[in-house]
Amino acid sequence: SYTTDTKSGEENKTTLETLYSLSVDITKIRRLKEWVLLQDVAYVKEIAGILQEMGADETTVANIIERCPEAILHTPAEINSQRALWQLVCQNEKQLIKLIEQFPESFFTTEYQQNQKANILFFQEMGLKNNIITRFLTSAPNIFYNPVEKNKKVIETLQRNYLNLGGSEANMKIWILKLLSQNPFILLNTSTAIQENLEFLQKNDFTDQEVLQLLSKLKGFIFQLNSTTMQKSMLFSKNTFKCSDHELKQLVLKCPALLYYSVPVLEERLEGLLKEGISIAQIRETPMVLELTTQIIQYRIKKLSALGYDIKSGNLESLNGTKKDFEVTYGKIQSKKERPIFNPVAPLHVED
């Protein structure tokens, strides 16, 4: 929406002076988006004024403009409309200014205001809480640029498939809201792509119940894949673990990452595990370790080895899980190691 063609090709003196008066670091803007300073028209004072009205102090205003210099090219009317729009989901202006400071680019994208408003109202009607919608506005702003009809169509496809796979009408709303809050980017897919991916799983003998299970486990990421990559990943796993179709299906249900990650990613992670002396048999037993990056695996093995825990001879469960899960496991192994060998309550058998 901005033009980078300027009449003079020189920096706008009025813009520079106003930015200086607001303590904005101009070198940052020159480094980041110098073309903003070349524009003949800018609304520095006006935009700063609106931000101050919302409660931003001088440092916050300078920080916002440094991070998103094109903010000063928007008209005050555009910014006030955007402000009213975001206030539909923000508790107050204090929260709004905090969000603008953290995610200025999301706020200052004003070309899709009609779509943004229609989508905000649609999400509220669906029952999504305002704090979830603000998270979408900041971390997944693209979903608001879609016409609301497109987002509705994707939601309808998900709802229809959920019911067709045996999900209950009573749980459908909760399922959809959970799926969306875990992964709003599913709305960037077409309803056709969603349909094709579900059909791919059914063709590979996953029962309706298992497909539903996979959808929940993958938090909707399955919709960002395509049948070709899923087929390649499954074939790679089948050859690596030398298993039958039925066994492969069980492995995928245990560890959906085998479906989600591309072959190069799986290869790299497998290689990392083998280098640590872990066997294919151990990985097949606990395939979830492939969900972790090689760096995380190396770090965890190193920590466990320092406690004298030999990962090569044990099972890999101790490596699994989130950072929090691992810390709990590590703590248990550590306290077991530090526990006194004798039971202080038991009678001592002392030789004469």
Side-chain angles (χ1 to χ4, degrees), residues 244-279:
S244 67
D245 288 342
H246 175 73
E247 287 167 331
L248 175 64
K249 201 175 81 162
Q250 296 313 308
L251 281 174
V252 169
L253 288 169
K254 215 172 173 185
C255 174
L258 295 176
L259 197 66
Y260 178 69
Y261 289 120
S262 66
V263 172
V265 170
L266 290 172
E267 266 177 335
E268 185 212 340
R269 293 186 178 186
L270 199 71
E271 216 171 283
L273 288 161
L274 296 174
K275 270 184 190 163
E276 295 293 336
I278 291 163
S279 69

PDB file of all heavy atoms in Angstrom, residues 244-279:
ATOM      1  N   SER A 244       5.810 -54.420   9.120  1.00  0.00           N
ATOM      2  CA  SER A 244       4.652 -54.649   8.241  1.00  0.00           C
ATOM      3  C   SER A 244       3.779 -53.392   8.218  1.00  0.00           C
ATOM      4  O   SER A 244       3.970 -52.485   9.027  1.00  0.00           O
ATOM      5  CB  SER A 244       3.824 -55.816   8.772  1.00  0.00           C
ATOM      6  OG  SER A 244       3.233 -55.436  10.017  1.00  0.00           O
ATOM      7  N   ASP A 245       2.790 -53.360   7.332  1.00  0.00           N
ATOM      8  CA  ASP A 245       1.888 -52.204   7.252  1.00  0.00           C
ATOM      9  C   ASP A 245       1.158 -51.989   8.575  1.00  0.00           C
ATOM     10  O   ASP A 245       0.986 -50.857   9.028  1.00  0.00           O
ATOM     11  CB  ASP A 245       0.855 -52.404   6.125  1.00  0.00           C
ATOM     12  CG  ASP A 245       1.498 -52.264   4.755  1.00  0.00           C
ATOM     13  OD1 ASP A 245       2.601 -51.685   4.692  1.00  0.00           O
ATOM     14  OD2 ASP A 245       0.917 -52.728   3.753  1.00  0.00           O
ATOM     15  N   HIS A 246       0.734 -53.101   9.188  1.00  0.00           N
ATOM     16  CA  HIS A 246       0.012 -52.998  10.453  1.00  0.00           C
ATOM     17  C   HIS A 246       0.926 -52.420  11.543  1.00  0.00           C
ATOM     18  O   HIS A 246       0.527 -51.529  12.316  1.00  0.00           O
ATOM     19  CB  HIS A 246      -0.518 -54.370  10.886  1.00  0.00           C
ATOM     20  CG  HIS A 246      -1.171 -54.341  12.239  1.00  0.00           C
ATOM     21  ND1 HIS A 246      -2.411 -53.760  12.454  1.00  0.00           N
ATOM     22  CD2 HIS A 246      -0.725 -54.784  13.457  1.00  0.00           C
ATOM     23  CE1 HIS A 246      -2.703 -53.849  13.744  1.00  0.00           C
ATOM     24  NE2 HIS A 246      -1.712 -54.463  14.375  1.00  0.00           N
ATOM     25  N   GLU A 247       2.168 -52.920  11.604  1.00  0.00           N
ATOM     26  CA  GLU A 247       3.126 -52.439  12.615  1.00  0.00           C
ATOM     27  C   GLU A 247       3.442 -50.960  12.386  1.00  0.00           C
ATOM     28  O   GLU A 247       3.579 -50.181  13.336  1.00  0.00           O
ATOM     29  CB  GLU A 247       4.412 -53.269  12.558  1.00  0.00           C
ATOM     30  CG  GLU A 247       4.252 -54.678  13.112  1.00  0.00           C
ATOM     31  CD  GLU A 247       5.437 -55.591  12.768  1.00  0.00           C
ATOM     32  OE1 GLU A 247       6.091 -55.368  11.708  1.00  0.00           O
ATOM     33  OE2 GLU A 247       5.701 -56.518  13.544  1.00  0.00           O
ATOM     34  N   LEU A 248       3.548 -50.582  11.109  1.00  0.00           N
ATOM     35  CA  LEU A 248       3.839 -49.183  10.771  1.00  0.00           C
ATOM     36  C   LEU A 248       2.708 -48.281  11.268  1.00  0.00           C
ATOM     37  O   LEU A 248       2.950 -47.222  11.847  1.00  0.00           O
ATOM     38  CB  LEU A 248       4.002 -49.029   9.249  1.00  0.00           C
ATOM     39  CG  LEU A 248       4.198 -47.593   8.736  1.00  0.00           C
ATOM     40  CD1 LEU A 248       5.503 -47.005   9.257  1.00  0.00           C
ATOM     41  CD2 LEU A 248       4.194 -47.555   7.215  1.00  0.00           C
ATOM     42  N   LYS A 249       1.496 -48.736  11.075  1.00  0.00           N
ATOM     43  CA  LYS A 249       0.325 -47.969  11.508  1.00  0.00           C
ATOM     44  C   LYS A 249       0.369 -47.749  13.027  1.00  0.00           C
ATOM     45  O   LYS A 249       0.117 -46.652  13.510  1.00  0.00           O
ATOM     46  CB  LYS A 249      -0.937 -48.739  11.102  1.00  0.00           C
ATOM     47  CG  LYS A 249      -2.170 -47.851  11.029  1.00  0.00           C
ATOM     48  CD  LYS A 249      -3.366 -48.606  10.507  1.00  0.00           C
ATOM     49  CE  LYS A 249      -3.997 -49.415  11.611  1.00  0.00           C
ATOM     50  NZ  LYS A 249      -5.366 -49.830  11.317  1.00  0.00           N
ATOM     51  N   GLN A 250       0.729 -48.808  13.761  1.00  0.00           N
ATOM     52  CA  GLN A 250       0.823 -48.702  15.223  1.00  0.00           C
ATOM     53  C   GLN A 250       1.910 -47.703  15.634  1.00  0.00           C
ATOM     54  O   GLN A 250       1.741 -46.932  16.580  1.00  0.00           O
ATOM     55  CB  GLN A 250       1.115 -50.088  15.866  1.00  0.00           C
ATOM     56  CG  GLN A 250       0.014 -51.127  15.670  1.00  0.00           C
ATOM     57  CD  GLN A 250      -1.382 -50.592  15.981  1.00  0.00           C
ATOM     58  OE1 GLN A 250      -1.613 -50.030  17.047  1.00  0.00           O
ATOM     59  NE2 GLN A 250      -2.309 -50.733  15.040  1.00  0.00           N
ATOM     60  N   LEU A 251       3.031 -47.725  14.890  1.00  0.00           N
ATOM     61  CA  LEU A 251       4.127 -46.782  15.182  1.00  0.00           C
ATOM     62  C   LEU A 251       3.681 -45.340  14.952  1.00  0.00           C
ATOM     63  O   LEU A 251       3.979 -44.450  15.742  1.00  0.00           O
ATOM     64  CB  LEU A 251       5.341 -47.078  14.289  1.00  0.00           C
ATOM     65  CG  LEU A 251       6.240 -48.245  14.690  1.00  0.00           C
ATOM     66  CD1 LEU A 251       7.309 -48.486  13.626  1.00  0.00           C
ATOM     67  CD2 LEU A 251       6.928 -47.979  16.035  1.00  0.00           C
ATOM     68  N   VAL A 252       2.944 -45.122  13.850  1.00  0.00           N
ATOM     69  CA  VAL A 252       2.462 -43.766  13.528  1.00  0.00           C
ATOM     70  C   VAL A 252       1.473 -43.278  14.587  1.00  0.00           C
ATOM     71  O   VAL A 252       1.515 -42.129  15.001  1.00  0.00           O
ATOM     72  CB  VAL A 252       1.838 -43.719  12.101  1.00  0.00           C
ATOM     73  CG1 VAL A 252       1.104 -42.406  11.867  1.00  0.00           C
ATOM     74  CG2 VAL A 252       2.917 -43.914  11.037  1.00  0.00           C
ATOM     75  N   LEU A 253       0.608 -44.187  15.059  1.00  0.00           N
ATOM     76  CA  LEU A 253      -0.357 -43.796  16.098  1.00  0.00           C
ATOM     77  C   LEU A 253       0.363 -43.451  17.400  1.00  0.00           C
ATOM     78  O   LEU A 253      -0.042 -42.561  18.139  1.00  0.00           O
ATOM     79  CB  LEU A 253      -1.369 -44.926  16.350  1.00  0.00           C
ATOM     80  CG  LEU A 253      -2.401 -45.138  15.234  1.00  0.00           C
ATOM     81  CD1 LEU A 253      -3.158 -46.440  15.457  1.00  0.00           C
ATOM     82  CD2 LEU A 253      -3.382 -43.960  15.156  1.00  0.00           C
ATOM     83  N   LYS A 254       1.449 -44.157  17.652  1.00  0.00           N
ATOM     84  CA  LYS A 254       2.257 -43.924  18.856  1.00  0.00           C
ATOM     85  C   LYS A 254       3.025 -42.604  18.714  1.00  0.00           C
ATOM     86  O   LYS A 254       3.184 -41.852  19.665  1.00  0.00           O
ATOM     87  CB  LYS A 254       3.256 -45.090  18.984  1.00  0.00           C
ATOM     88  CG  LYS A 254       3.561 -45.513  20.404  1.00  0.00           C
ATOM     89  CD  LYS A 254       4.393 -46.796  20.336  1.00  0.00           C
ATOM     90  CE  LYS A 254       4.919 -47.238  21.669  1.00  0.00           C
ATOM     91  NZ  LYS A 254       5.797 -48.402  21.560  1.00  0.00           N
ATOM     92  N   CYS A 255       3.510 -42.377  17.475  1.00  0.00           N
ATOM     93  CA  CYS A 255       4.353 -41.199  17.227  1.00  0.00           C
ATOM     94  C   CYS A 255       3.966 -40.549  15.891  1.00  0.00           C
ATOM     95  O   CYS A 255       4.565 -40.833  14.855  1.00  0.00           O
ATOM     96  CB  CYS A 255       5.820 -41.640  17.198  1.00  0.00           C
ATOM     97  SG  CYS A 255       6.931 -40.312  16.730  1.00  0.00           S
ATOM     98  N   PRO A 256       2.968 -39.664  15.895  1.00  0.00           N
ATOM     99  CA  PRO A 256       2.520 -39.025  14.645  1.00  0.00           C
ATOM    100  C   PRO A 256       3.608 -38.235  13.927  1.00  0.00           C
ATOM    101  O   PRO A 256       3.466 -37.916  12.752  1.00  0.00           O
ATOM    102  CB  PRO A 256       1.389 -38.105  15.107  1.00  0.00           C
ATOM    103  CG  PRO A 256       0.947 -38.649  16.413  1.00  0.00           C
ATOM    104  CD  PRO A 256       2.157 -39.246  17.039  1.00  0.00           C
ATOM    105  N   ALA A 257       4.715 -37.951  14.626  1.00  0.00           N
ATOM    106  CA  ALA A 257       5.827 -37.237  13.979  1.00  0.00           C
ATOM    107  C   ALA A 257       6.344 -38.014  12.772  1.00  0.00           C
ATOM    108  O   ALA A 257       6.885 -37.435  11.833  1.00  0.00           O
ATOM    109  CB  ALA A 257       6.953 -37.030  14.982  1.00  0.00           C
ATOM    110  N   LEU A 258       6.174 -39.346  12.784  1.00  0.00           N
ATOM    111  CA  LEU A 258       6.622 -40.169  11.649  1.00  0.00           C
ATOM    112  C   LEU A 258       5.848 -39.818  10.381  1.00  0.00           C
ATOM    113  O   LEU A 258       6.301 -40.077   9.272  1.00  0.00           O
ATOM    114  CB  LEU A 258       6.432 -41.665  11.956  1.00  0.00           C
ATOM    115  CG  LEU A 258       7.270 -42.241  13.092  1.00  0.00           C
ATOM    116  CD1 LEU A 258       6.901 -43.689  13.347  1.00  0.00           C
ATOM    117  CD2 LEU A 258       8.759 -42.124  12.802  1.00  0.00           C
ATOM    118  N   LEU A 259       4.716 -39.220  10.556  1.00  0.00           N
ATOM    119  CA  LEU A 259       3.866 -38.818   9.437  1.00  0.00           C
ATOM    120  C   LEU A 259       4.135 -37.362   9.095  1.00  0.00           C
ATOM    121  O   LEU A 259       4.113 -36.944   7.946  1.00  0.00           O
ATOM    122  CB  LEU A 259       2.409 -38.965   9.888  1.00  0.00           C
ATOM    123  CG  LEU A 259       1.281 -38.996   8.875  1.00  0.00           C
ATOM    124  CD1 LEU A 259       1.387 -40.245   8.010  1.00  0.00           C
ATOM    125  CD2 LEU A 259      -0.050 -38.999   9.611  1.00  0.00           C
ATOM    126  N   TYR A 260       4.408 -36.591  10.147  1.00  0.00           N
ATOM    127  CA  TYR A 260       4.492 -35.142  10.016  1.00  0.00           C
ATOM    128  C   TYR A 260       5.840 -34.654   9.489  1.00  0.00           C
ATOM    129  O   TYR A 260       5.904 -33.762   8.661  1.00  0.00           O
ATOM    130  CB  TYR A 260       4.183 -34.501  11.366  1.00  0.00           C
ATOM    131  CG  TYR A 260       4.285 -33.001  11.362  1.00  0.00           C
ATOM    132  CD1 TYR A 260       3.356 -32.232  10.654  1.00  0.00           C
ATOM    133  CD2 TYR A 260       5.301 -32.342  12.024  1.00  0.00           C
ATOM    134  CE1 TYR A 260       3.451 -30.852  10.630  1.00  0.00           C
ATOM    135  CE2 TYR A 260       5.397 -30.961  12.001  1.00  0.00           C
ATOM    136  CZ  TYR A 260       4.474 -30.226  11.306  1.00  0.00           C
ATOM    137  OH  TYR A 260       4.574 -28.862  11.262  1.00  0.00           O
ATOM    138  N   TYR A 261       6.941 -35.261   9.998  1.00  0.00           N
ATOM    139  CA  TYR A 261       8.260 -34.770   9.570  1.00  0.00           C
ATOM    140  C   TYR A 261       8.646 -35.318   8.206  1.00  0.00           C
ATOM    141  O   TYR A 261       8.327 -36.449   7.867  1.00  0.00           O
ATOM    142  CB  TYR A 261       9.332 -35.123  10.605  1.00  0.00           C
ATOM    143  CG  TYR A 261       9.206 -34.316  11.869  1.00  0.00           C
ATOM    144  CD1 TYR A 261       8.999 -34.928  13.092  1.00  0.00           C
ATOM    145  CD2 TYR A 261       9.277 -32.923  11.834  1.00  0.00           C
ATOM    146  CE1 TYR A 261       8.866 -34.179  14.254  1.00  0.00           C
ATOM    147  CE2 TYR A 261       9.140 -32.175  12.985  1.00  0.00           C
ATOM    148  CZ  TYR A 261       8.937 -32.794  14.191  1.00  0.00           C
ATOM    149  OH  TYR A 261       8.799 -32.058  15.333  1.00  0.00           O
ATOM    150  N   SER A 262       9.376 -34.496   7.453  1.00  0.00           N
ATOM    151  CA  SER A 262       9.817 -34.924   6.120  1.00  0.00           C
ATOM    152  C   SER A 262      10.950 -35.937   6.278  1.00  0.00           C
ATOM    153  O   SER A 262      11.572 -36.031   7.340  1.00  0.00           O
ATOM    154  CB  SER A 262      10.321 -33.716   5.331  1.00  0.00           C
ATOM    155  OG  SER A 262      11.490 -33.215   5.958  1.00  0.00           O
ATOM    156  N   VAL A 263      11.243 -36.661   5.189  1.00  0.00           N
ATOM    157  CA  VAL A 263      12.301 -37.687   5.227  1.00  0.00           C
ATOM    158  C   VAL A 263      13.651 -37.092   5.661  1.00  0.00           C
ATOM    159  O   VAL A 263      14.308 -37.649   6.548  1.00  0.00           O
ATOM    160  CB  VAL A 263      12.394 -38.422   3.866  1.00  0.00           C
ATOM    161  CG1 VAL A 263      13.607 -39.337   3.819  1.00  0.00           C
ATOM    162  CG2 VAL A 263      11.117 -39.231   3.632  1.00  0.00           C
ATOM    163  N   PRO A 264      14.118 -35.953   5.093  1.00  0.00           N
ATOM    164  CA  PRO A 264      15.417 -35.414   5.545  1.00  0.00           C
ATOM    165  C   PRO A 264      15.478 -35.157   7.049  1.00  0.00           C
ATOM    166  O   PRO A 264      16.498 -35.411   7.686  1.00  0.00           O
ATOM    167  CB  PRO A 264      15.551 -34.101   4.758  1.00  0.00           C
ATOM    168  CG  PRO A 264      14.683 -34.278   3.563  1.00  0.00           C
ATOM    169  CD  PRO A 264      13.551 -35.152   3.989  1.00  0.00           C
ATOM    170  N   VAL A 265      14.386 -34.678   7.632  1.00  0.00           N
ATOM    171  CA  VAL A 265      14.364 -34.397   9.084  1.00  0.00           C
ATOM    172  C   VAL A 265      14.459 -35.712   9.866  1.00  0.00           C
ATOM    173  O   VAL A 265      15.255 -35.846  10.795  1.00  0.00           O
ATOM    174  CB  VAL A 265      13.075 -33.617   9.479  1.00  0.00           C
ATOM    175  CG1 VAL A 265      12.922 -33.534  10.994  1.00  0.00           C
ATOM    176  CG2 VAL A 265      13.088 -32.225   8.885  1.00  0.00           C
ATOM    177  N   LEU A 266      13.659 -36.716   9.444  1.00  0.00           N
ATOM    178  CA  LEU A 266      13.690 -38.016  10.128  1.00  0.00           C
ATOM    179  C   LEU A 266      15.072 -38.653  10.010  1.00  0.00           C
ATOM    180  O   LEU A 266      15.594 -39.213  10.971  1.00  0.00           O
ATOM    181  CB  LEU A 266      12.619 -38.948   9.544  1.00  0.00           C
ATOM    182  CG  LEU A 266      11.151 -38.573   9.853  1.00  0.00           C
ATOM    183  CD1 LEU A 266      10.195 -39.447   9.049  1.00  0.00           C
ATOM    184  CD2 LEU A 266      10.841 -38.700  11.341  1.00  0.00           C
ATOM    185  N   GLU A 267      15.664 -38.535   8.822  1.00  0.00           N
ATOM    186  CA  GLU A 267      17.010 -39.117   8.589  1.00  0.00           C
ATOM    187  C   GLU A 267      18.032 -38.499   9.524  1.00  0.00           C
ATOM    188  O   GLU A 267      18.821 -39.198  10.162  1.00  0.00           O
ATOM    189  CB  GLU A 267      17.445 -38.844   7.127  1.00  0.00           C
ATOM    190  CG  GLU A 267      17.116 -39.977   6.196  1.00  0.00           C
ATOM    191  CD  GLU A 267      17.489 -39.652   4.750  1.00  0.00           C
ATOM    192  OE1 GLU A 267      17.547 -38.464   4.376  1.00  0.00           O
ATOM    193  OE2 GLU A 267      17.709 -40.603   3.990  1.00  0.00           O
ATOM    194  N   GLU A 268      17.996 -37.160   9.620  1.00  0.00           N
ATOM    195  CA  GLU A 268      18.973 -36.448  10.450  1.00  0.00           C
ATOM    196  C   GLU A 268      18.812 -36.841  11.924  1.00  0.00           C
ATOM    197  O   GLU A 268      19.792 -37.083  12.625  1.00  0.00           O
ATOM    198  CB  GLU A 268      18.744 -34.932  10.279  1.00  0.00           C
ATOM    199  CG  GLU A 268      19.778 -34.090  10.998  1.00  0.00           C
ATOM    200  CD  GLU A 268      19.221 -32.754  11.499  1.00  0.00           C
ATOM    201  OE1 GLU A 268      18.173 -32.298  10.980  1.00  0.00           O
ATOM    202  OE2 GLU A 268      19.826 -32.204  12.416  1.00  0.00           O
ATOM    203  N   ARG A 269      17.569 -36.950  12.380  1.00  0.00           N
ATOM    204  CA  ARG A 269      17.329 -37.286  13.789  1.00  0.00           C
ATOM    205  C   ARG A 269      17.723 -38.729  14.099  1.00  0.00           C
ATOM    206  O   ARG A 269      18.274 -39.015  15.151  1.00  0.00           O
ATOM    207  CB  ARG A 269      15.864 -37.024  14.142  1.00  0.00           C
ATOM    208  CG  ARG A 269      15.573 -35.541  14.096  1.00  0.00           C
ATOM    209  CD  ARG A 269      14.208 -35.175  14.552  1.00  0.00           C
ATOM    210  NE  ARG A 269      14.071 -33.718  14.498  1.00  0.00           N
ATOM    211  CZ  ARG A 269      13.038 -33.037  14.927  1.00  0.00           C
ATOM    212  NH1 ARG A 269      12.023 -33.688  15.461  1.00  0.00           N
ATOM    213  NH2 ARG A 269      12.994 -31.730  14.844  1.00  0.00           N
ATOM    214  N   LEU A 270      17.448 -39.601  13.152  1.00  0.00           N
ATOM    215  CA  LEU A 270      17.785 -41.013  13.305  1.00  0.00           C
ATOM    216  C   LEU A 270      19.303 -41.174  13.380  1.00  0.00           C
ATOM    217  O   LEU A 270      19.838 -41.875  14.246  1.00  0.00           O
ATOM    218  CB  LEU A 270      17.233 -41.789  12.100  1.00  0.00           C
ATOM    219  CG  LEU A 270      17.067 -43.293  12.264  1.00  0.00           C
ATOM    220  CD1 LEU A 270      15.915 -43.603  13.204  1.00  0.00           C
ATOM    221  CD2 LEU A 270      16.784 -43.943  10.923  1.00  0.00           C
ATOM    222  N   GLU A 271      19.979 -40.470  12.494  1.00  0.00           N
ATOM    223  CA  GLU A 271      21.442 -40.509  12.440  1.00  0.00           C
ATOM    224  C   GLU A 271      22.038 -40.029  13.767  1.00  0.00           C
ATOM    225  O   GLU A 271      22.976 -40.628  14.303  1.00  0.00           O
ATOM    226  CB  GLU A 271      21.916 -39.572  11.317  1.00  0.00           C
ATOM    227  CG  GLU A 271      23.140 -40.103  10.574  1.00  0.00           C
ATOM    228  CD  GLU A 271      23.402 -39.243   9.344  1.00  0.00           C
ATOM    229  OE1 GLU A 271      22.689 -39.396   8.326  1.00  0.00           O
ATOM    230  OE2 GLU A 271      24.297 -38.398   9.437  1.00  0.00           O
ATOM    231  N   GLY A 272      21.464 -38.941  14.300  1.00  0.00           N
ATOM    232  CA  GLY A 272      21.925 -38.386  15.577  1.00  0.00           C
ATOM    233  C   GLY A 272      21.804 -39.397  16.702  1.00  0.00           C
ATOM    234  O   GLY A 272      22.696 -39.536  17.535  1.00  0.00           O
ATOM    235  N   LEU A 273      20.691 -40.139  16.713  1.00  0.00           N
ATOM    236  CA  LEU A 273      20.470 -41.153  17.751  1.00  0.00           C
ATOM    237  C   LEU A 273      21.445 -42.316  17.596  1.00  0.00           C
ATOM    238  O   LEU A 273      22.011 -42.807  18.581  1.00  0.00           O
ATOM    239  CB  LEU A 273      19.028 -41.665  17.681  1.00  0.00           C
ATOM    240  CG  LEU A 273      17.941 -40.683  18.156  1.00  0.00           C
ATOM    241  CD1 LEU A 273      16.578 -41.076  17.629  1.00  0.00           C
ATOM    242  CD2 LEU A 273      17.904 -40.603  19.681  1.00  0.00           C
ATOM    243  N   LEU A 274      21.649 -42.770  16.353  1.00  0.00           N
ATOM    244  CA  LEU A 274      22.560 -43.895  16.112  1.00  0.00           C
ATOM    245  C   LEU A 274      23.992 -43.536  16.502  1.00  0.00           C
ATOM    246  O   LEU A 274      24.729 -44.362  17.034  1.00  0.00           O
ATOM    247  CB  LEU A 274      22.498 -44.332  14.635  1.00  0.00           C
ATOM    248  CG  LEU A 274      21.139 -44.889  14.162  1.00  0.00           C
ATOM    249  CD1 LEU A 274      21.150 -45.161  12.662  1.00  0.00           C
ATOM    250  CD2 LEU A 274      20.744 -46.157  14.915  1.00  0.00           C
ATOM    251  N   LYS A 275      24.378 -42.274  16.271  1.00  0.00           N
ATOM    252  CA  LYS A 275      25.732 -41.817  16.633  1.00  0.00           C
ATOM    253  C   LYS A 275      25.948 -41.887  18.141  1.00  0.00           C
ATOM    254  O   LYS A 275      27.071 -42.009  18.614  1.00  0.00           O
ATOM    255  CB  LYS A 275      25.941 -40.369  16.168  1.00  0.00           C
ATOM    256  CG  LYS A 275      26.508 -40.278  14.748  1.00  0.00           C
ATOM    257  CD  LYS A 275      26.796 -38.837  14.377  1.00  0.00           C
ATOM    258  CE  LYS A 275      27.130 -38.719  12.897  1.00  0.00           C
ATOM    259  NZ  LYS A 275      27.030 -37.322  12.424  1.00  0.00           N
ATOM    260  N   GLU A 276      24.852 -41.761  18.899  1.00  0.00           N
ATOM    261  CA  GLU A 276      24.954 -41.816  20.365  1.00  0.00           C
ATOM    262  C   GLU A 276      24.986 -43.268  20.856  1.00  0.00           C
ATOM    263  O   GLU A 276      24.962 -43.522  22.055  1.00  0.00           O
ATOM    264  CB  GLU A 276      23.768 -41.072  21.002  1.00  0.00           C
ATOM    265  CG  GLU A 276      23.721 -39.582  20.732  1.00  0.00           C
ATOM    266  CD  GLU A 276      24.852 -38.806  21.386  1.00  0.00           C
ATOM    267  OE1 GLU A 276      25.413 -39.291  22.388  1.00  0.00           O
ATOM    268  OE2 GLU A 276      25.182 -37.711  20.886  1.00  0.00           O
ATOM    269  N   GLY A 277      24.971 -44.211  19.915  1.00  0.00           N
ATOM    270  CA  GLY A 277      25.037 -45.625  20.294  1.00  0.00           C
ATOM    271  C   GLY A 277      23.683 -46.258  20.553  1.00  0.00           C
ATOM    272  O   GLY A 277      23.579 -47.354  21.102  1.00  0.00           O
ATOM    273  N   ILE A 278      22.628 -45.541  20.198  1.00  0.00           N
ATOM    274  CA  ILE A 278      21.260 -46.066  20.394  1.00  0.00           C
ATOM    275  C   ILE A 278      20.911 -46.950  19.198  1.00  0.00           C
ATOM    276  O   ILE A 278      21.254 -46.639  18.062  1.00  0.00           O
ATOM    277  CB  ILE A 278      20.261 -44.891  20.550  1.00  0.00           C
ATOM    278  CG1 ILE A 278      20.534 -44.190  21.888  1.00  0.00           C
ATOM    279  CG2 ILE A 278      18.828 -45.344  20.460  1.00  0.00           C
ATOM    280  CD1 ILE A 278      19.945 -42.824  22.019  1.00  0.00           C
ATOM    281  N   SER A 279      20.224 -48.054  19.460  1.00  0.00           N
ATOM    282  CA  SER A 279      19.922 -48.996  18.368  1.00  0.00           C
ATOM    283  C   SER A 279      18.570 -48.713  17.730  1.00  0.00           C
ATOM    284  O   SER A 279      17.702 -48.089  18.335  1.00  0.00           O
ATOM    285  CB  SER A 279      19.926 -50.437  18.909  1.00  0.00           C
ATOM    286  OG  SER A 279      18.803 -50.601  19.766  1.00  0.00           O
TER     287      SER A 279
END
